[in-house]
Amino acid sequence: MNESEISAYLARIGVDRSGDLSPRALQYAHLTTVPFENLSIHLDEPIVLTPEALFDKVVNQRRGGFCYELNGLFAGLLTALGHRVTLLAARVYGGDRLGPLFDHLALRVELDEPWLVDVGFGDFADAPLRLGVRGEQADGAGVFEIRPADHGDLDVLHNGRPAYRLTERAYELADFVPTAWWQSTSPDSHFTRSAVCSMRTPEGRITLSGDKLITTSYGERAEKVLAEAELLPAYREHFGVELGRLPVVR
């Protein structure tokens, strides 16, 4: 990522080039400007995990994406800013059951100590988590904890509930391509079953799931069913996403 691309990416997430460029500041800025969304799946757009394609989608087209796209691109920004970044694979918890390896992509960033950085899990931490700490870590989005798991893996918990099981082996972005393809094409994937666009707000979170607009503000949840004519304006107004047509769940 060259200097021009760094500046464009920072502008996309509302960060001044001369301002705070710490992973903590960049993670929160990213979460509040770039939505977690799976709309490409329902717009018949391919999911392409290359730095060039991800930059074009998130920065140039001002779209969002899911974990492989968001954390894959964010890793490039952090690396370009001089940080040592490792791509980690995780298995996502669905209730008490674990999904497959490469179910999720998260980042390890070496600062004064190793930190878990994640802008691609939807409702997750506002700031990086200390990977080496075994105990509760308070965050603006709740309480997190990292616990030892089987085979040297780590369980990441959010408000007491397991979110995902993290490996500590390094991977390349290309290693996630087969599972990203499965997630975006299989009828067994929850990503193919509904269209979702969600983003952190200073007050909480806003989500458009199908035709339902869900707003959480200071712990208070409100839902509103939108008419079809209201959906494209809602994507634009709440998430900054300009779509030429509505996503269709098949």
Side-chain angles (χ1 to χ4, degrees):
M1 196 175 293
N2 59 36
E3 285 297 320
S4 175
E5 291 169 332
I6 292 172
S7 295
Y9 197 160
L10 293 175
R12 167 72 175 95
I13 61 175
V15 174
D16 189 278
R17 187 71 170 87
S18 62
D20 185 356
L21 301 183
S22 67
R24 171 180 292 271
L26 294 177
Q27 177 164 317
Y28 184 74
H30 206 289
L31 292 170
T32 54
T33 54
V34 180
F36 176 91
E37 50 107 328
N38 68 348
L39 304 180
S40 287
I41 295 170
H42 307 291
L43 291 166
D44 296 323
E45 298 171 350
I47 306 295
V48 182
L49 298 188
T50 65
E52 297 79 12
L54 298 180
F55 186 90
D56 182 62
K57 180 178 181 179
V58 174
V59 179
N60 295 337
Q61 299 180 42
R62 303 189 69 81
R63 287 280 302 280
F66 57 174
C67 68
Y68 313 110
E69 300 171 290
L70 300 183
N71 280 327
L73 184 61
F74 196 48
L77 175 64
L78 295 177
T79 299
L81 291 174
H83 298 293
R84 185 151 60 95
V85 182
T86 303
L87 274 58
L88 303 178
R91 304 171 65 191
V92 177
Y93 276 94
D96 295 330
R97 301 183 63 181
L98 278 166
L101 189 63
F102 302 111
D103 210 12
H104 180 60
L105 187 164
L107 307 176
R108 172 181 172 134
V109 180
E110 307 296 335
L111 300 173
D112 53 330
E113 58 183 299
W115 293 78
L116 173 62
V117 172
D118 197 335
V119 297
F121 196 67
D123 188 9
F124 199 65
D126 286 346
L129 302 174
R130 300 171 68 187
L131 265 173
V133 169
R134 302 294 172 260
E136 293 185 348
Q137 301 184 51
D139 178 86
V143 177
F144 293 83
E145 186 175 357
I146 298 175
R147 295 179 181 172
D150 296 337
H151 311 297
D153 293 340
L154 299 171
D155 275 343
V156 182
L157 289 78
H158 183 191
N159 292 332
R161 300 183 63 180
Y164 55 74
R165 178 165 292 180
L166 192 67
T167 67
E168 292 209 88
R169 175 182 170 182
Y171 289 99
E172 302 295 330
L173 187 57
D175 295 324
F176 295 85
V177 169
T179 309
W181 176 83
W182 183 90
Q183 295 279 23
S184 61
T185 59
S186 172
D188 293 327
S189 166
H190 68 273
F191 286 113
T192 64
R193 299 174 185 174
S194 63
V196 175
C197 189
S198 183
M199 194 161 66
R200 179 76 161 98
T201 68
E203 299 79 24
R205 176 164 290 276
I206 187 162
T207 300
L208 185 53
S209 179
D211 61 358
K212 186 182 295 182
L213 186 67
I214 305 164
T215 305
T216 304
S217 181
Y218 302 110
E220 296 293 325
R221 178 184 170 101
E223 296 185 7
K224 179 184 178 182
V225 176
L226 302 183
E228 183 174 306
E230 298 177 293
L231 293 174
L232 288 180
Y235 283 118
R236 180 173 57 251
E237 175 185 351
H238 299 294
F239 308 101
V241 171
E242 292 275 1
L243 299 178
R245 58 189 175 90
L246 288 174
V248 177
V249 179
R250 304 189 188 283

